[in-house]
Amino acid sequence: MSAPSKTLTLRQVFSSGGLLSRWHPAYEFRPGQLEMAEAVEEAIAHKRHLIVEAGTGTGKTLAYLVPAILSGKRIIISTGTKNLQEQLFFKDIPFLKQHLGEIRVCYMKGRSNYLCRQKLYEAEREPILSGLEEVSDFQIIREWEKTTQTGDRGEIRTLPDTSTAWGKLDARRELCSGQKCPQFERCFVTQMHQRAHESDIIIVNHHLFFADLAVKEDDFGGIIPEYAAVIFDEAHEIEDIAGQYFGISVSSYQVQDLERDIASLARRKNLGSSEMDTALATLRDRWERFFSAFGQQEGRSGFDAHEAFREKHHEEYQDALLTMEIVRLQLELLRDGEDEAAPLARRAGEIGARLKLWMDGGDRRYVYWIERRARGVFLQATPIDVSQLLEQRLFETIDSAVLTSATLAVAGSFDFVSSRLGMRNARSLMVHSHFDYPSQALLYVPQHLPDPRGLAYTQQAAREIARILEASQGRAFVLCTSFQQMRLLHDAVSFEIPYPVLLQGTGPKQALLEEFRETPNCVLFATSSFWQGVDVQGEQLSCVIIDKLPFAVPSDPVVNARVEMIRQEGGNPFYDYQIPQAAIALKQGFGRLIRSKLDRGVLALLDNRITRQRYGQVFFDSLPEYGFTTKFEDVERFFARGDL
Ligand code: SF4
């Protein structure tokens, strides 16, 4: 099949009666889609940056894919999740290939998604598996390895997300001996890189993109080949993800994983020695002592007492560094005879170096914080403001970046997101959804509830939720702004209603969503992870209830540092940061309801600050034109009407 014709114009593809309407009988001409496609084409051709908010249902995926393909240049498409990557690669691209001709395209995921052939073959000879479950998962993986072209675990639908056998066989960089590996030519990661070098369109996710950008800066060389432009879908997630990769992280899990991998190498290759055993036991002991010096408090908290800590816990700190260095030197001694020891030695060196950087704590551009979660301790440093980093490393370095999402603008302006991301001189475009929001969705804000910050709120909100669910006959998401609030509301409401109830955290996200779709009249209680990237079409989801305006809480150390920085620079953090950020989040949350032209439903916001405070107008100006009411009778009438 031949390559797409460069002479094809976007009008020929998208216009009324154009190619798309011939290829797809249900295709509907949307002027906004054509406008967006032309803006993307112009940005790539003239090496400019572009920011586009494209409401749900505008067809934004094709609006960026088609001009990217027709440009004839190498374009990176970066998505928010692996699911979206797969949707593009397995659904949208084949459709376009069918009609446009051959497209050289591939996807890239992080290395832990791919199988390491060398580890698999070694596992057949060495006893690394424990328990029947691991043995059974191993059989599945071994059979699949014989036929898979990609080595991407996403292909094995029967492998549980939590498979510990996979964790022992994946292609993480830390355990890879690279070109010295006997499987290097046949390696799935090598082949992924080769495919990327031969492709015009490369589909990645934001995590891989920013991990690559951060590594490129460190001069280790990135993995994504040179490209002419990058298009970020779900671009509202960029700030937080970039922050993770430009930060510093040292965790108890990193130390445990290192220790486990060294022990496994020693076992497999018969390299065990009493010196190594002693060094690993001491490493474990000293790092446990070091991490316990940070206290036992669960959750995230800021940390700025580096000097006092270094003085008080000098011995624990030095012991941690020293034991890591001893292990590194022992691995260095092994590396001449054993290739796999080299990446482990490098990893030990990196953990020690990162700890020194974190303990130094002197860089005012970072916020230093600690998180204790389950049994893990995480020492983190996050850039308070990623705008300069992104400006220098991304927007000033590449010719063209396109940012798109259904939620980027605040009250019709892109100033907030542009300044948070350091994207200057970009053209902007707003493409409105062509859904009929005033008749499809009713926004209900009850006025009788107390201030959501007060003690009386939860009980009354629970009563209101039960009343709304009665009217909607379940079929609802109750989206909460905190785990604590989610549990309280769930406990108060679930026994009051005659509908099946699901609670976030009681199963994997996709499994819960599947159950929600298949269970009539189901109600799901969830928090932020269900506010985005969740798509339930049809009457199964007829109501979205949100407890509070989703302001980022200053008790979070990263939010607190951002708020403080704005204050120090003379700004007003509430108006300059918290309100715009919450307006985007609210738009995301409510965006779960109307996913097609046939969807109808009620959005309930149990926080009447939106109608009582002056800043509430910013939220109204940012949301689509939903119908609006403060009266419960209107909600009942809405549900009684139509075929809900
Ligand atoms: S090159 Fe690395 S990832 Fe690939 S098979 Fe060999 S050890 Fe595994």
Side-chain angles (χ1 to χ4, degrees):
M1 201 180 258
S2 59
S5 162
K6 302 253 170 55
T7 55
L8 208 56
T9 68
L10 294 172
R11 277 183 187 274
Q12 286 172 307
V13 177
F14 287 100
S15 61
S16 173
L19 291 171
L20 271 171
S21 56
R22 269 185 258 156
W23 298 338
H24 204 299
Y27 178 76
E28 213 179 326
F29 169 60
R30 284 156 286 185
Q33 187 184 33
L34 173 59
E35 196 184 355
M36 174 172 169
E38 287 181 333
V40 174
E41 179 185 56
E42 199 259 353
I44 297 172
H46 296 104
K47 302 184 178 174
R48 297 188 56 184
H49 299 324
L50 170 71
I51 183 162
V52 190
E53 177 171 290
T56 316
T58 47
K60 75 170 152 41
T61 308
L62 290 186
Y64 63 71
L65 271 181
V66 173
I69 292 166
L70 295 183
S71 75
K73 298 178 179 175
R74 179 179 289 144
I75 312 286
I76 306 295
I77 313 279
S78 184
T79 66
T81 59
K82 283 186 274 184
N83 280 351
L84 191 51
Q85 268 185 287
E86 287 171 10
Q87 191 187 310
L88 289 183
F89 187 80
F90 293 108
K91 190 170 147 255
D92 300 299
I93 292 283
F95 168 73
L96 290 173
K97 266 187 182 172
Q98 219 180 322
H99 302 289
L100 284 177
E102 192 47 40
I103 303 165
R104 299 193 304 176
V105 57
C106 73
Y107 68 84
M108 299 176 88
K109 295 181 182 171
R111 294 183 60 131
S112 60
N113 292 281
Y114 294 89
L115 176 69
C116 169
R117 281 197 145 125
Q118 180 66 10
K119 279 197 220 160
L120 181 87
Y121 300 155
E122 284 176 358
E124 297 199 63
R125 297 190 296 270
E126 315 292 337
I128 61 158
L129 303 170
S130 49
L132 286 177
E133 226 169 277
E134 285 200 0
V135 173
S136 144
D137 287 354
F138 180 79
Q139 309 286 9
I140 296 173
I141 296 167
R142 191 175 55 180
E143 280 310 303
W144 163 76
E145 183 265 346
K146 292 175 187 158
T147 52
T148 176
Q149 298 292 308
T150 65
D152 173 8
R153 71 165 288 174
E155 288 178 8
I156 329 175
R157 298 289 166 196
T158 49
L159 190 70
D161 283 356
T162 49
S163 167
T164 49
W166 180 265
K168 293 177 176 176
L169 300 171
D170 70 38
R172 270 171 296 148
R173 179 177 75 94
E174 295 94 325
L175 290 177
C176 170
S177 47
Q179 293 191 9
K180 293 185 179 161
C181 167
Q183 302 301 326
F184 184 74
E185 296 297 324
R186 294 180 65 235
C187 169
F188 292 121
V189 175
T190 310
Q191 289 171 352
M192 169 184 75
H193 289 167
Q194 279 165 355
R195 274 195 302 277
H197 280 276
E198 290 157 8
S199 293
D200 296 325
I201 304 289
I202 303 174
I203 303 168
V204 302
N205 56 60
H206 300 340
H207 287 273
L208 183 72
F209 184 87
F210 287 103
D212 182 70
L213 197 66
V215 173
K216 269 188 180 127
E217 194 62 22
D218 285 351
D219 286 342
F220 286 116
I223 53 167
I224 300 177
E226 292 289 307
Y227 50 88
V230 55
I231 298 171
F232 295 99
D233 199 345
E234 304 289 347
H236 59 277
E237 294 179 13
I238 286 178
E239 181 178 5
D240 285 339
I241 296 176
Q244 286 173 33
Y245 289 95
F246 289 126
I248 304 166
S249 173
V250 183
S251 74
S252 53
Y253 289 126
Q254 289 168 1
V255 180
Q256 286 161 15
D257 285 353
L258 176 70
E259 186 203 322
R260 193 197 59 211
D261 291 340
I262 297 171
S264 155
L265 174 72
R267 232 185 3 256
R268 281 185 289 120
K269 297 292 169 82
N270 248 341
L271 296 169
S273 67
S274 58
E275 286 88 356
M276 184 57 95
D277 288 349
T278 310
L280 288 182
T282 319
L283 178 86
R284 187 184 323 133
D285 178 64
R286 298 303 143 84
W287 278 75
E288 265 173 26
R289 272 179 52 197
F290 170 70
F291 280 123
S292 64
F294 289 96
Q296 299 300 321
Q297 198 192 336
E298 281 279 316
R300 294 157 67 126
S301 50
F303 186 86
D304 58 6
H306 294 82
E307 207 177 321
F309 183 92
R310 281 197 308 265
E311 268 174 33
K312 190 169 172 205
H313 298 285
H314 178 76
E315 196 183 320
E316 289 93 330
Y317 173 42
Q318 290 307 323
D319 280 355
L321 285 179
L322 185 66
T323 49
M324 189 60 78
E325 183 58 11
I326 291 172
V327 166
R328 190 187 71 76
L329 289 171
Q330 298 221 359
L331 288 162
E332 285 290 343
L333 288 177
L334 289 178
R335 63 180 289 174
D336 279 347
E338 181 45 63
D339 295 340
E340 281 184 52
L344 290 172
R346 190 174 61 220
R347 209 161 119 198
E350 283 170 5
I351 293 175
R354 284 203 302 273
L355 179 63
K356 276 191 203 152
L357 263 181
W358 193 89
M359 283 296 292
D360 188 39
D363 194 332
R364 295 287 109 207
R365 295 168 304 170
Y366 286 75
V367 49
Y368 296 81
W369 52 286
I370 304 167
E371 182 170 19
R372 199 173 262 282
R373 180 168 14 108
R375 294 222 290 281
V377 182
F378 301 78
L379 310 181
Q380 310 272 20
T382 307
I384 301 171
D385 179 0
V386 290
S387 67
Q388 273 188 14
L389 285 166
L390 289 180
E391 186 177 1
Q392 288 162 9
R393 299 186 189 186
L394 182 64
F395 299 121
E396 285 180 356
T397 314
I398 58 169
D399 287 341
S400 174
V402 176
L403 269 57
T404 185
S405 162
T407 53
L408 285 171
V410 177
S413 157
F414 293 101
D415 290 352
F416 174 68
V417 72
S418 307
S419 79
R420 297 296 314 170
L421 298 179
M423 192 189 204
R424 292 177 214 280
N425 305 321
R427 197 195 143 194
S428 64
L429 175 69
M430 181 86 95
V431 181
H432 293 286
S433 169
H434 78 152
F435 293 159
D436 181 7
Y437 281 118
S439 72
Q440 286 185 261
L442 178 68
L443 171 57
Y444 165 55
V445 183
Q447 297 298 296
H448 63 278
L449 292 177
D451 188 304
R453 292 163 295 184
L455 286 176
Y457 170 78
T458 305
Q459 207 182 17
Q460 294 198 41
R463 246 180 266 140
E464 187 65 21
I465 292 172
R467 185 159 83 131
I468 298 168
L469 293 176
E470 196 58 37
S472 68
Q473 297 169 34
R475 304 183 298 179
F477 280 178
V478 181
L479 300 178
C480 304
T481 40
S482 74
F483 273 100
Q484 195 195 14
Q485 186 74 354
M486 174 187 80
R487 282 194 207 99
L488 288 173
L489 290 174
H490 167 268
D491 294 351
V493 173
S494 54
F495 291 109
E496 301 293 321
I497 54 170
Y499 307 116
V501 172
L502 298 172
L503 178 67
Q504 181 184 333
T506 53
K509 183 175 170 183
Q510 286 311 323
L512 282 177
L513 275 175
E514 216 37 59
E515 199 174 339
F516 180 86
R517 285 193 189 99
E518 285 166 8
T519 311
N521 307 92
C522 196
V523 178
L524 169 72
F525 285 79
T527 65
S528 53
S529 66
F530 282 77
W531 285 55
Q532 47 192 333
V534 169
D535 196 1
V536 180
Q537 286 195 17
E539 65 177 59
Q540 191 60 23
L541 180 61
S542 297
C543 182
V544 171
I545 302 172
I546 286 181
D547 63 339
K548 297 177 186 174
L549 288 171
F551 293 117
V553 282
S555 56
D556 180 281
V558 178
V559 174
N560 185 47
R562 287 175 183 165
V563 162
E564 278 310 313
M565 180 181 256
I566 294 168
R567 206 191 310 278
Q568 278 165 20
E569 288 171 353
N572 180 326
F574 188 56
Y575 282 91
D576 298 346
Y577 177 62
Q578 286 167 288
I579 290 177
Q581 171 275 331
I584 288 176
L586 186 69
K587 189 152 51 165
Q588 268 293 330
F590 278 159
R592 301 311 97 216
L593 183 69
I594 305 297
R595 310 301 296 170
S596 82
K597 279 183 88 172
L598 299 176
D599 285 351
R600 286 181 78 233
V602 167
L603 303 155
L605 177 65
L606 310 185
D607 183 342
N608 51 39
R609 286 177 293 177
I610 195 173
T611 49
R612 297 189 175 175
Q613 302 289 343
R614 208 148 18 112
Y615 60 72
Q617 196 56 41
V618 178
F619 289 88
F620 281 115
D621 290 345
S622 303
L623 292 171
E625 299 269 308
Y626 303 128
F628 176 72
T629 186
T630 56
K631 296 194 185 76
F632 183 68
E633 303 80 77
D634 290 336
V635 173
E636 290 182 305
R637 226 171 284 135
F638 187 92
F639 281 119
R641 226 178 46 205
D643 53 358
L644 272 169

